[in-house]
Amino acid sequence: MSEHHHLSDSAFLKAVRGEPVPHTPVWFMRQAGRSLPEYLKVREGTGMLESCMNAELVTEITLQPVRRYGVDAAIFFSDIVLPLKAVGVDLDIKPGVGPVVADPVRTLADVEAIPDLTPDQVPFITEAVGTLVSELAGINGGTPLIGFAGAPFTVASYLVEGGPSKEHAKTKALMFGAPDVWDALMHKIADISAAFLEVQVAAGASAVQLFDSWAGALTPGDYATYVMPHSARVLERIGALGVPRIHFGVGTTNLLTLMGEAGADVVGIDWRTPLADGIARVGDRGVQGNLDPTLVFAPTDVMTARAAEIIEAGRQAKGHVFNLGHGVIPSTDPDQLARLTEFVQSYPLA
Ligand code: CP3
């Protein structure tokens, strides 16, 4: 690769724009984090949210998997609840549990008490993204940075439940039972998530991913009525900046068409949906995914045989970014992800 290689020539950005690629680009959701010994080392003695607000740590942690694997994109190290913390919501990320909110949101007054996000509340984001973009420009001929935010439904689930939940029962009870409160909450979170993404894009992020991890809890009808318009507003605001948008959720086989129509250039497909089915559902858009994250625990040849099937299926898409079907499992062997990266990047073009 030329030393004067431009970021927009990167395999990742070509794939998300649906252009021919030099190889199938690959990155991994949760590529930074507990599977890496170097992450555990730098995180020692520092809480998760504290780490996310420290520009130097964010920069180091984001770069760790790029150095180790040579993946085709970096993803900004942060969390979907970080912007809520930044505006003053009393919450923490508990190790092994996830986000925990001290005073769950149930009423209109609760929603109205949440301030909007302004860029001056997240100076550490602007600083970290700026440093990352200049460092990444010199790695493997230019590695793009993906910014991200949580989608309104998934963030609402933490705010309403007060913590992680399996059924999202309180969240859906609010959605079905108090549509006015729900609407206000979704507007509030959509504005916060969009502002969080705008800060990352303004500082130089090349693409964004909107995580609606728990949207799979919804029927297509309820998704279309109660959730999609709000995610669509977030995606529209980022589209206006000219930045490609990836939209991902788990267990979303029946929602993939709608998630694309919400305004995504690329739809993330979880591993339960065969990639070819996902491609048919998203129509004229790119796809990202979708190796079962547990396949890295299988023998290498079993893992790479499945990866080959996914790469082959991905050729029918407008563009394909290889990824796991959800995040890297913390007990994953990094050497196995290194082998997977190498396999995908050296897999012959059709
Ligand atoms: O992908 C990356 O490498 C970037 C970092 C990233 C984190 N969270 C760091 C993190 C991203 C993109 C997220 C997004 C996120 N956070 C999502 C959407 C993605 C998905 O997995 O579906 C969700 C649902 C959350 C909420 C959240 N935060 C959960 C469920 C957890 C895990 C709880 C646990 O400990 O198992 C967190 C904490 C968290 N976010 C960790 C990391 C590295 C672990 C905290 C630690 O290392 O102590």
Side-chain angles (χ1 to χ4, degrees):
M1 230 175 273
S2 137
E3 278 185 86
H4 305 289
H5 181 88
H6 193 269
L7 215 53
S8 70
D9 296 331
S10 65
F12 171 78
L13 287 174
K14 281 180 177 293
V16 297
R17 290 192 305 251
E19 297 168 6
V21 288
H23 61 263
T24 300
V26 50
W27 69 280
F28 305 112
M29 291 185 278
R30 296 282 177 100
Q31 62 191 13
R34 285 170 294 178
S35 60
L36 297 181
E38 58 270 37
Y39 169 81
L40 297 173
K41 187 145 183 288
V42 296
R43 273 287 320 277
E44 247 170 57
T46 311
M48 176 62 190
L49 284 169
E50 201 188 327
S51 305
C52 293
M53 293 187 276
N54 176 328
E56 212 175 310
L57 267 181
V58 168
T59 305
E60 167 59 22
I61 293 170
T62 301
L63 290 174
Q64 284 176 347
V66 180
R67 291 190 200 112
R68 186 186 263 266
Y69 304 128
V71 276
D72 290 280
I75 180 149
F76 187 65
F77 183 79
S78 192
D79 196 84
I80 58 166
V81 298
L82 187 278
L84 296 174
K85 179 76 182 176
V87 299
V89 174
D90 185 357
L91 65 87
D92 197 7
I93 297 181
K94 297 229 153 62
V97 178
V100 177
V101 176
D103 305 303
V105 169
R106 301 287 156 75
T107 65
L108 200 54
D110 294 341
V111 176
E112 285 166 353
I114 304 172
D116 290 322
L117 180 72
T118 54
D120 57 288
Q121 287 163 317
V122 287
F124 48 88
I125 302 283
T126 301
E127 185 188 340
V129 171
T131 309
L132 278 165
V133 167
S134 61
E135 297 254 339
L136 286 164
I139 303 181
N140 298 328
T143 303
L145 178 69
I146 304 170
F148 78 90
F153 177 77
T154 293
V155 175
S157 144
Y158 289 101
L159 275 176
V160 176
E161 305 290 335
S165 91
K166 210 166 160 241
E167 317 290 353
H168 313 287
K170 294 189 179 80
T171 310
K172 289 164 74 177
L174 187 76
M175 185 177 94
F176 294 129
D180 53 331
V181 179
W182 180 255
D183 197 61
L185 177 61
M186 296 302 269
H187 273 93
K188 175 69 70 176
I189 303 169
D191 282 345
I192 291 175
S193 285
F196 187 55
L197 290 173
E198 284 167 353
V199 167
Q200 297 171 60
V201 171
S206 292
V208 302
Q209 178 156 325
L210 189 64
F211 280 97
D212 209 351
S213 301
W214 314 139
L218 299 164
T219 65
D222 291 330
Y223 177 79
T225 304
Y226 296 109
V227 173
M228 184 178 167
H230 306 283
S231 297
R233 276 205 319 282
V234 178
L235 293 166
E236 192 187 339
R237 270 171 68 174
I238 303 313
L241 306 176
V243 172
R245 301 151 298 178
I246 308 169
H247 194 187
F248 169 78
V250 181
T252 50
T253 309
N254 292 320
L255 303 180
L256 291 172
T257 305
L258 295 172
M259 288 181 75
E261 288 170 358
D265 302 287
V266 172
V267 180
I269 316 284
D270 91 58
W271 75 94
R272 296 166 186 87
T273 310
L275 193 61
D277 293 2
I279 291 166
R281 286 168 194 267
V282 305
D284 191 32
R285 305 173 198 278
V287 292
Q288 176 173 277
N290 74 341
L291 187 72
D292 182 336
T294 65
L295 266 161
V296 301
F297 299 94
T300 303
D301 59 330
V302 174
M303 170 184 75
T304 54
R306 291 293 192 93
E309 288 174 16
I310 288 168
I311 296 168
E312 294 290 349
R315 299 203 197 289
Q316 299 309 313
K318 182 180 175 191
H320 176 219
V321 176
F322 191 95
N323 206 313
L324 303 178
H326 197 186
V328 172
I329 296 167
S331 55
T332 294
D333 173 7
D335 292 340
Q336 191 74 326
L337 283 186
R339 290 178 205 111
L340 180 57
T341 306
E342 158 72 17
F343 179 81
V344 176
Q345 291 177 337
S346 60
Y347 194 87
L349 292 170

